[in-house]
Amino acid sequence: MAAVTYEVKAQVRPAPGRAACARSALPAPHSAAGCAEADAGCPTVLGLQARCLAAVEGDADRSRFIVGTLNLRASNELHIVEFSEDTNELAAVAIYATPHEVWHLAACPTPSHASKLLIVLNDGGASHYASLTVVPVLDVDDAGGHSRGAGTRAALPETVQLMPSAGSVAAHGLMRTALWNPAEDVTAAVTIQSGAMCRWPLDRGDAHPSPSASCTADGAFGTPLSGTAPQSIESACWDPHHAHTLALGSASGAISTIDLRTAKRAHGLAGAHKGSVRVLSFNPNRPYVLLSASDDRCLLRTIFFYFIPSCTPCSP
């Protein structure tokens, strides 16, 4: 059976006080004649550059998304947008001010905590850190309506800051990703640097906690051979079926799973790919099944079962 692709061309309704972008602002390949079709991709809602978005997974009744802006020399914002199936429109629900550039977003997948959000922020280039915040409008309809409009954006409170030490940043690089436990556990989060994975407690009432466990890239994938590039974590995915299992992909093409209780490697598949492992995803319906995609132009299905990993690659 041939694959079927569905395309939705949604009309984008700008937030109050935000003018729609001019057609001349569209990239060069779009002509004026094709601008109507390209409006869905036009930065009408934001008005600012952005590099990350996240679906509000904990809200099963509405199609809502969170978008963070990336502006080095101006203020940055967090936009909550909602897609209406009735009107086929994307509308801005609320806009909040953020203190720094937004480099990654992770919405809490637990419905009872849908308003919680992890944001990886760039505090000026010297360091990245993850901030746990609560977005009121994600909890109740029309709550936070005060933040709409063209006036001053309400700032979101940073209830917890996951801040790597200067030594960790020097040794393992900047923080790039934050992950929630998909098993409806909001007591901990995981952050990823190129050289390390850290697990952070979120339930101790500490605004600036220290990592409760960590695993370096060498610990996850093995010490590199002499003369080869150092190990680097390129992708990560938390197992939705096993709350203590995290999968990591490396720049060298290896895949490993980490037992978060011990912060040590549980399974490893060296040379799974011939290029950097860019994306990992567990099958939400079938335990132990992991799909990976790499720069080697291959998808790989890996089954970590009974401690014997097996894999089925696709053709390049």
Side-chain angles (χ1 to χ4, degrees), residues 36-211:
E37 291 189 357
D39 278 347
C42 201
T44 306
V45 173
L46 301 181
L48 296 170
Q49 181 181 354
R51 66 169 290 148
C52 56
L53 63 84
V56 183
E57 299 179 37
D59 190 341
D61 299 323
R62 297 168 296 192
S63 298
R64 285 188 167 180
F65 302 87
I66 309 166
V67 186
T69 68
L70 189 77
N71 198 324
L72 181 61
R73 295 180 177 84
S75 59
N76 284 280
E77 297 172 345
L78 195 72
H79 291 239
I80 314 299
V81 298
E82 182 173 346
F83 174 72
S84 171
E85 295 183 1
D86 296 330
T87 63
N88 200 38
E89 288 183 335
L90 278 173
V93 175
I95 303 173
Y96 298 93
T98 61
H100 305 294
E101 297 174 324
V102 180
W103 281 71
H104 181 78
L105 291 168
C108 184
T110 305
S112 58
H113 296 273
S115 61
K116 292 184 176 179
L117 179 67
L118 284 170
I119 313 174
V120 176
L121 298 166
N122 173 15
D123 65 356
S127 180
H128 291 185
Y129 69 94
S131 171
L132 172 63
T133 188
V134 176
V135 185
V137 75
L138 297 181
D139 247 346
V140 182
D141 249 337
D142 292 329
H146 57 277
S147 59
R148 300 182 188 184
T152 302
R153 306 305 191 222
L156 289 174
E158 296 185 55
T159 57
V160 177
Q161 288 186 351
L162 310 181
M163 184 78 70
S165 66
S168 175
V169 173
H172 306 304
L174 297 173
M175 183 184 294
R176 299 185 299 186
T177 306
L179 302 173
W180 287 101
N181 187 339
E184 298 194 1
D185 180 2
V186 297
T187 61
V190 162
T191 61
I192 303 297
Q193 298 162 256
S194 60
M197 174 280 302
C198 294
R199 185 177 186 270
W200 304 78
L202 300 178
D203 59 345
R204 297 179 181 175
D206 189 351
H208 299 87
S210 298

